[in-house]
Each structure stands twice: as structure tokens, then as C-alpha cells.
Amino acid sequence: MSHDYMRHVVQSGDPEALLNDLMQTYGEDVWKYACFLTKRREAADDIAQDVFWKAYRHLPSFRGECSVKTWLLRITRRTALNYLRSAFVRKVMLAGLFVPSGSHRSAEHAAMDRQAERDVWEIVLGLPGKYREVIVLDAHYELSYKEMADLLGISEGTVKSRLHRARAKVERKLKEDEGE
């Protein structure tokens, strides 16, 4: 979805159609990112609704300096971080939310693959936030370094450095766990 398309729809007087397109195209990404940040499915539901309401209200001010996806994830991040700052939030562990669907292998192999993926995500979720976030944006959302830098408000060099360190920490922890 391009900036020109968004501008055309807003100018044509049908921003509701654009909102529906945004929700259809990016709804799952927004919800999963909100869930990753808050570690609460119920919060992700509320945050996703809030994100699309904010996007709807600010459609005319979208300048196209980043992709629509990056813009929505940036709104998601701010909204989720505000949620986390609220006095009502308790720390809850996230379990198995980002496990990709399995392949058509034997049930035993599929179960082993799912367990391995859960082990990796458990390690990722145990990393400090600045490392955890770049891994998820890279591995799950497949954002470019530039998109991650824009979203997080840091330089591309910092993104690359954090991603390198995060991967090294995960690899080191996996090797330690193998030795047990």
C-alpha cells in the first residue's frame, strides 16, 4: 500500500475504505507486535484497535517518509509502551505466540521442531529489551535495517550492532543449553 494510494483515498473522501484496507493488510502484524511488547493478548486487542483509530485520525498527516507498515508499527510501539507505563499492568510471560506453523513432517518431528522453536523464543524473550526487539522486528516482521532504525528512533548502525549482539547471545545460550 503506497503513500500515493493513501493520499488518493483520503482526498477522494473515503478514508473508511482505506482504514479497512489497512486493517486487512496490517492487522495481524499490529496485533502480534502489540502482543509481543505487552505479553498480553487482551492488551494486544485493545492496542490494535487504538492503533487503527489513531491511524484513521492521522491519515491526512501521513507524509510517506517511511512505509505504511513501519508507520503503523511505530504507532503500535508508542501505544504499547504507554500501556506498559500505566499502573494497571502486571508482568505476564508470553508462551508460544510466535511459533510459525509447522511443515508436513511426522508428528514426532513436528513436535520436536515446535519445541526447538519454543526454546529459541524463550531465549529471545529472556534477552534485554533492546536486543529482543530488534530480533523480533528482523525475524518475525522482516523489516529492513532502515525500517527498524526509523521505528526505534536509532541509527542503522545501532540496529546492526544490536542485532549482531542479540544473535550472538542467542547462539551462545543455545550452545550452553546443549552442553547441559
Side-chain angles (χ1 to χ4, degrees):
M1 186 174 302
S2 73
H3 177 257
D4 291 334
Y5 170 74
M6 286 180 53
R7 186 179 318 131
H8 169 73
V9 173
V10 169
Q11 289 173 350
S12 72
D14 195 6
E16 290 84 9
L18 178 58
L19 179 62
N20 283 333
D21 287 348
L22 290 173
M23 289 172 34
Q24 287 292 322
T25 305
Y26 303 108
E28 186 175 345
D29 287 334
V30 165
W31 186 88
K32 285 182 177 179
Y33 190 43
C35 195
F36 162 74
L37 291 170
T38 63
K39 300 180 173 111
R40 298 189 63 202
R41 290 173 177 262
E42 315 80 48
D45 293 340
D46 294 340
I47 289 167
Q49 288 179 4
D50 197 21
V51 165
F52 286 109
W53 172 244
K54 288 175 181 178
Y56 177 78
R57 286 192 345 250
H58 297 287
L59 283 173
S61 64
F62 177 71
R63 295 183 307 265
E65 295 172 350
C66 61
S67 71
V68 175
K69 183 177 185 176
T70 301
W71 179 60
L72 289 170
L73 292 178
R74 184 180 297 144
I75 296 170
T76 304
R77 184 173 190 264
R78 280 194 306 264
T79 305
L81 293 177
N82 287 339
Y83 169 83
L84 290 170
R85 288 184 192 110
S86 74
F88 302 105
V89 180
R90 292 189 172 90
K91 197 171 187 178
V92 179
M93 281 306 298
L94 178 66
L97 179 66
F98 299 108
V99 177
S101 58
S103 60
H104 298 292
R105 299 177 63 195
S106 72
E108 182 180 342
H109 282 105
M112 289 171 53
D113 288 347
R114 282 192 304 274
Q115 183 59 50
E117 289 168 357
R118 279 192 296 269
D119 291 347
V120 169
W121 281 110
E122 186 177 317
I123 292 168
V124 168
L125 292 172
L127 293 173
K130 66 183 182 180
Y131 298 126
R132 182 177 58 235
E133 194 165 30
V134 292
I135 281 192
V136 169
L137 291 173
D138 178 60
H140 185 71
Y141 293 101
E142 300 176 349
L143 296 185
S144 69
Y145 293 141
K146 180 176 180 1
E147 289 173 320
M148 284 188 272
D150 289 345
L151 176 66
L152 299 173
I154 58 178
S155 72
E156 284 185 58
T158 302
V159 168
K160 291 176 186 178
S161 174
R162 285 183 185 176
L163 196 52
H164 175 76
R165 288 183 182 137
R167 288 175 178 153
K169 288 176 181 288
V170 169
E171 189 174 329
R172 192 167 37 253
K173 180 67 174 151
L174 286 170
K175 287 180 181 176
E176 286 173 12
D177 290 352
E178 285 176 6
E180 291 179 359

